Amino acid sequence: MTVELKTEADEPGWEVDPDDEWGVAVIATVGRQLKLRRESVGMRAAEFGAAVGYGEDLVYKIEGGKRIPRQEYLDRADEVLGAGGLIAAAWEDVQKVRYPRKVRALRDMEAKAVEMQLYDPLNIHGLLQTAEYARGLLLMRRPAYAADEVERFTAARVARKAVFERDRVPELSFVLEEWTLRRPLGGRAALRGQLEHLLELGQLRNVELQVMPMDREEHAGLAGGIEVLKFADGSAVGRSSAVANGRPVSEPRHLRILELRYGIIRAQALTPRESTAFIEQLLGET
């Protein structure tokens, strides 16, 4: 019986970001432990690769800290090497660094926020996206992302949804542009699933969704997206392409501008109840 080996092309691990010092150190340590364990039982890389179902080249890259192993790789390696769960347990460390550094930083801030005000004029906000919709957007990026990058960024975006599952959930306010709800990016099936997901989230007591109709003659959001995150200690951080060149800001004067604009945008948009009815109508037309 011939075992079909998985290679980088059809089952890649994620690339390690060379600028992510912590991530590089963690993945290098995991790779070194895998290599030492393999050598301690006298298995060559090719033999080990055949046993776990991966190509020899990928084995070397993971052991050399060049690729981030997936959970199934660590689980299978644990079984083949008889590690008694020690290798499989490394996934706890790997999953902390498998996402890009910027995504981790954003996720950490979102995990601490008690209130968020979010407006994206170009797409449905990342926190609201289904995996299918997010993948469709990432596949449209030019220059194109590699297949492993698409999957890595999709997984990272989905992981941010943990904000909806916190014990003390934050107050979340979103303003969505009508056109982002109408364009079938990724296909109509993906859009339909996305609209259904929005309706589910809109039922949560801590979530308010508002739609900005295309027929509005006044719009305070033409300068770009807005993000304002507030924390329990009274501090806040905001970001907008129209303020400080898109850099995160915490100065009161900058935050005042962002909150002023966001407040006007909300006032110009449909109410949450009107927005729910509007999304239901769009779903029926999709």
Side-chain angles (χ1 to χ4, degrees):
M1 179 179 177
T2 302
V3 177
E4 183 177 353
L5 301 182
K6 298 175 183 178
T7 65
E8 290 185 75
D10 55 20
E11 191 67 29
W14 293 301
E15 291 282 358
V16 178
D17 180 358
D19 296 324
D20 183 0
E21 294 182 3
W22 181 43
V24 168
V26 169
I27 300 306
T29 299
V30 171
R32 190 179 306 114
Q33 292 302 315
L34 280 165
K35 181 180 180 180
L36 290 173
R37 175 72 66 165
R38 173 178 63 77
E39 292 178 340
S40 71
V41 299
M43 293 187 73
R44 296 180 179 274
E47 181 186 1
F48 172 73
V52 298
Y54 285 77
E56 181 180 1
D57 184 58
L58 188 57
V59 170
Y60 278 127
K61 288 189 174 183
I62 289 177
E63 291 184 351
K66 303 299 183 183
R67 308 281 291 191
I68 302 174
R70 295 177 184 267
Q71 184 174 17
E72 58 265 28
Y73 181 95
L74 295 174
D75 289 343
R76 183 60 182 148
D78 193 280
E79 295 176 8
V80 170
L81 299 176
L86 293 178
I87 292 178
W91 176 247
E92 184 175 343
D93 295 320
V94 171
Q95 66 180 342
K96 294 177 182 177
V97 299
R98 62 176 174 150
Y99 304 128
R101 182 175 52 180
K102 290 182 179 179
V103 173
R104 296 202 308 267
L106 178 59
R107 184 183 60 186
D108 289 343
M109 284 196 297
E110 291 172 344
K112 298 174 182 177
V114 296
E115 182 182 346
M116 299 188 209
Q117 300 172 340
L118 305 163
Y119 166 65
D120 187 338
L122 300 178
N123 300 295
I124 294 172
H125 194 276
L127 282 176
L128 301 174
Q129 292 175 13
T130 64
E132 293 75 19
Y133 185 88
R135 185 176 293 106
L137 290 182
L138 291 166
L139 287 171
M140 295 175 202
R141 194 255 193 185
R142 295 296 182 271
Y145 285 129
D148 63 321
E149 290 180 304
V150 170
E151 293 309 311
R152 187 185 185 195
F153 293 148
T154 299
R157 193 160 296 180
V158 171
R160 290 172 60 195
K161 294 182 181 296
V163 71
F164 293 102
E165 302 167 0
R166 284 167 40 185
D167 290 336
R168 294 184 178 181
V169 292
E171 295 297 319
L172 300 169
S173 169
F174 298 88
V175 179
L176 304 98
E177 290 288 344
E178 176 186 344
W179 77 271
T180 67
L181 303 177
R182 288 188 176 276
R183 294 191 68 176
L185 301 178
R188 292 200 171 275
L191 176 60
R192 184 173 182 83
Q194 180 63 68
L195 294 176
E196 291 173 342
H197 183 61
L198 290 176
L199 290 173
E200 292 175 3
L201 292 178
Q203 297 300 312
L204 299 177
R205 293 178 59 190
N206 64 306
V207 176
E208 285 194 343
L209 302 180
Q210 292 181 250
V211 176
M212 176 68 78
M214 291 189 295
D215 64 1
R216 287 295 191 257
E217 296 183 359
E218 294 185 357
H219 193 329
L222 299 181
I226 296 174
E227 295 183 0
V228 177
L229 278 63
K230 299 182 180 181
F231 307 101
D233 62 2
S235 64
V237 63
R239 186 174 61 174
S240 173
S241 58
V243 175
N245 294 319
R247 298 190 306 273
V249 297
S250 56
E251 298 86 348
R253 64 188 183 91
H254 286 147
L255 292 171
R256 184 181 65 80
I257 293 173
L258 295 180
E259 291 202 76
L260 173 64
R261 289 180 179 171
Y262 189 76
I264 296 175
I265 292 171
R266 289 192 66 184
Q268 293 170 333
L270 298 175
T271 67
R273 180 171 295 184
E274 292 170 338
S275 297
T276 295
F278 189 85
I279 295 173
E280 289 175 340
Q281 179 182 339
L282 289 180
L283 179 59
E285 298 172 358
T286 303

